[in-house]
Amino acid sequence: MSPDLPPVVPSVTAELVGALPPRLRKRLDAGVTKLVARPAVRDGDTVRIAVDDDTDLVLHAPGGAVTRADAIRCGCLLAPDCLHRAAAASAAPVADEAPAGDPEKPETPDEPETAPAAEAEDDAANAGRRAAARAVSDAAAAVLEAGTDGAGAVLQAELLHAAHTARLAGLPRLSAAAVAVVTGVRAARSGDPGYRLTDLAGALAGVLGVAHRLPHATGPELTGLRGTARQPYRPDGSLRLYGLFSEPVLTATGYAGAVTWTADAEGRLYTVSDVAPGGPARATGAADRAVRIGDTSLTHRELSRAGLAVSGATVSPTGRLGAGAGVRAVRASGVAWRAEPLDRLWAEPAAEQVSRALNGGRDLLFLEVTPIGAVRETAGDCLLADCDGLSVLLTTAHDDPSLPCRENLRLLAAAGRGRLRIVARLVPGPFPRALLLAAEHPADPDARVDLGLDRLQHADLPGGVVAPPDRALPAGDEAPLHLLRRRVHQAVSGGRRVLAFAGDRPGDGARLRRAGLATAGDLLDDLHAAAADRSRDVFGRLLPADTDRFGRSWLAAAVYTDAVERALCADAWGATATGAGDARPPATPIH
């Protein structure tokens, strides 16, 4: 995936790849690799790539995204059915498609539907949704079967085509989940530093889980599984907001910018965002852009420390402030974190905040900690801190070297001051862990540092000296859930064949059962059995693998692992999480 290319909507990629003859499909992955090595030159809405000395490939992206197949043009002799156009679409980030209308016919006052007609049309719509869910499930299972190592551009395009079909069928949540899988696969195959295997495993479990539940869901559950194409904004009258902090946004899909968090007098959180196609430079630059709300000239960096008075406010269900024509906003005074009304955010016990996050609420944590020092991890140094007797690991939110996150964390670990208020984002796991987003200034508790945007200096430290990390991670007893988690993740990377060839390590299932995780042992055995299950024809030749069975077994193991990890996370923080435990996965089949 190349961040230099404009995002391309899924339907365009699916169309261009689908039009290739079989001989060119076999060469598509090599074509993508060759194309991303060529320089891309942007001129306004147009990106031009020199395929060779005599041939140019041009992508036209009005509004920032390629939305039509004919917006990708190539000057080679085989165009328009050439490899270059499909390779460009396959190398580009995936863009959001315009929301599709629900296929169900709306009622009209002039010509009301008869009951039989309405019922027949509803049945047809439900059948279309079931077919779309099956198509997404099959395509996602094929990606899982191949693993990131084998899920090339053709398999990605098939999943994008299924995602487009799901959107047309009125299933935006399933469509978005499928696109997230493609994005993760591309990040893995391109060596993107922002790629996380855990995130891709979660995306695959998400898309397979939604596809699994949709055919059997009714009522409110069906509504939730269908999702909404765009978040609705509701009127919220007048608001008096106080800036909390700003954080950079830098995604694997090629989007970047900044989000500023604010709170009202009751502690409700609201956000103002500026996110668009771009890279690290846009993430850092967006902090000094004016916020897009009303007539205010406040930048995101200024709003994080000031306040805002808004009239005619509109707010999304997640707290994002709308910027419609009727919204008015002017600058107001801000307050320190230790002053009201922001002070109350840190009054809630950490365990209660974690419980809310694990049960579907916001994942921000407002903690008061005492830094202990830096400790070593494989991915880099992290900050070990004491939070009311609980040892918490604080890690960086972004690893991109153009952002100051890692250096700021290292300096903060060496600051040596006492109690420190921070804002962090929960990372579920068996040990208390969170991503560090903002903190009080080491030398001035009335000031704050946005750790992804502001840059601490050695002079900011009371002692002015930074000591290297000299601590190892604290030891602790961990349930052997990693024996199952490892196999779940190995399947995502290497596909079914890795588990089929590896076989179960002797004693793994027994060890899980001795630890009280009997279901985990059964799921591990079933996962290996599904991976190794290959039938032969009458001539002894291997038949294609049953991707449906392997997908069901993997999904059951992934859902169970997530549930137990949530329980372990809650236990580590002294919190509570619903829906966790050694419960068996649903018995109904995926389809």
Side-chain angles (χ1 to χ4, degrees):
M1 183 170 58
S2 173
D4 297 327
L5 298 178
V8 178
V9 298
S11 57
V12 169
T13 304
E15 178 182 344
L16 293 177
V17 175
L20 292 176
R23 65 180 182 85
L24 290 184
R25 284 193 172 200
K26 295 178 181 178
R27 296 166 49 192
L28 182 55
D29 289 334
V32 171
T33 301
K34 182 178 179 180
L35 189 70
V36 297
R38 305 295 295 176
V41 179
R42 184 182 296 270
D43 182 12
D45 292 335
T46 300
V47 174
R48 187 179 302 274
I49 303 172
V51 177
D52 54 41
D53 293 340
D54 303 316
T55 305
D56 281 351
L57 181 69
V58 179
L59 294 85
H60 185 53
V66 176
T67 58
R68 296 173 50 182
D70 59 9
I72 303 179
R73 302 187 299 273
C74 184
C76 74
L77 296 177
L78 295 179
D81 298 325
C82 64
L83 183 70
H84 304 126
R85 298 174 70 219
S90 300
V94 184
D96 291 331
E97 288 193 283
D102 192 288
E104 294 184 53
K105 178 181 176 182
E107 294 184 0
T108 57
D110 296 332
E111 189 179 359
E113 294 183 356
T114 62
E119 184 176 347
E121 188 161 352
D122 186 63
D123 289 342
N126 290 332
R129 293 191 185 105
R130 286 194 294 270
R134 178 60 185 259
V136 170
S137 181
D138 288 346
V143 169
L144 177 64
E145 161 81 11
T148 58
D149 296 341
V154 173
L155 283 181
Q156 295 168 29
E158 290 173 355
L159 184 51
L160 289 177
H161 181 268
H164 178 64
T165 301
R167 180 170 288 273
L168 293 179
L171 301 172
R173 178 178 173 183
L174 184 62
S175 176
V179 168
V181 170
V182 174
T183 297
V185 170
R186 290 184 177 180
R189 292 174 63 86
S190 65
D192 190 318
Y195 167 71
R196 296 291 183 271
L197 176 59
T198 301
D199 293 341
L200 179 55
L204 270 167
V207 71
L208 289 172
V210 172
H212 159 68
R213 293 161 58 194
L214 264 168
H216 315 286
T218 58
E221 182 187 11
L222 176 60
T223 301
L225 291 174
R226 288 175 59 183
T228 56
R230 289 291 185 268
Q231 288 192 343
Y233 283 78
R234 55 174 174 79
D236 206 17
S238 298
L239 296 173
R240 175 63 168 93
L241 303 177
Y242 303 85
L244 272 168
F245 72 100
S246 291
E247 63 173 319
V249 175
L250 188 60
T251 72
T253 60
Y255 286 81
V259 173
T260 299
W261 291 80
T262 66
D264 66 7
E266 282 72 43
R268 293 189 295 262
L269 300 185
Y270 298 82
T271 61
V272 181
S273 63
D274 180 0
V275 179
R282 193 182 193 285
T284 55
D288 295 313
R289 296 174 182 265
V291 298
R292 298 176 179 177
I293 178 171
D295 302 322
T296 180
S297 59
L298 275 172
T299 66
H300 284 268
R301 195 185 303 273
E302 291 170 337
L303 177 57
S304 69
R305 292 158 174 80
L308 205 62
V310 186
S311 63
T314 58
V315 183
S316 78
T318 59
R320 181 177 177 178
L321 290 170
V327 180
R328 298 289 181 267
V330 296
R331 179 173 186 154
S333 60
V335 298
W337 281 358
R338 293 183 179 271
E340 287 293 344
L342 299 185
D343 181 67
R344 69 181 60 188
L345 295 171
W346 280 265
E348 184 179 17
E352 295 180 11
Q353 298 184 52
V354 171
S355 295
R356 179 176 56 247
L358 291 175
N359 294 319
R362 65 170 189 254
D363 58 358
L364 288 186
L365 304 179
F366 298 88
L367 307 176
E368 191 159 339
V369 302
T370 301
I372 298 174
V375 294
R376 301 182 188 91
E377 279 194 316
T378 304
D381 297 345
C382 57
L383 171 60
L384 181 64
D386 175 81
C387 180
D388 294 328
L390 186 69
S391 295
V392 179
L393 280 176
L394 301 172
T395 60
T396 57
H398 297 279
D399 288 326
D400 193 284
S402 64
L403 299 176
C405 302
R406 186 159 297 283
E407 181 63 16
N408 281 340
L409 183 141
R410 191 174 71 92
L411 291 173
L412 201 62
R417 65 161 290 184
R419 301 283 285 179
L420 190 72
R421 286 191 170 181
I422 64 169
V423 182
R425 179 168 285 120
L426 177 68
V427 178
F431 189 87
R433 180 185 294 265
L435 304 177
L436 190 56
L437 304 175
E440 289 178 331
H441 195 282
D444 183 3
D446 291 331
R448 66 196 72 161
V449 181
D450 296 334
L451 295 169
L453 298 171
D454 302 328
R455 199 173 289 273
L456 283 170
Q457 304 295 329
H458 284 258
D460 294 324
L461 304 183
V465 178
V466 179
D470 59 355
R471 295 172 176 85
L473 287 176
D477 294 330
E478 181 181 353
L481 188 65
H482 64 275
L483 298 175
L484 180 60
R485 184 198 308 116
R486 179 178 59 205
R487 297 306 187 194
V488 169
H489 288 177
Q490 282 180 336
V492 175
S493 295
R496 180 197 55 79
R497 64 186 181 277
V498 171
L499 299 189
F501 294 152
D504 189 13
R505 290 185 59 185
D508 280 356
R511 183 179 173 188
L512 286 166
R513 293 181 182 92
R514 285 197 302 271
L517 299 174
T519 301
D522 293 344
L523 290 171
L524 182 59
D525 293 343
D526 184 68
L527 184 59
H528 280 289
D533 184 14
R534 295 291 300 276
S535 301
R536 297 180 181 270
D537 63 14
V538 293
F539 299 103
R541 296 171 299 192
L542 282 173
L543 295 173
D546 186 351
T547 59
D548 186 50
R549 183 195 170 186
F550 181 66
R552 290 197 307 270
S553 297
W554 182 89
L555 176 60
V559 170
Y560 172 88
T561 302
D562 178 70
V564 176
E565 285 183 334
R566 280 165 38 86
L568 293 174
C569 179
D571 182 69
W573 288 87
T576 57
T578 59
D582 191 4
R584 293 189 175 271
T588 51
I590 278 185
H591 305 302

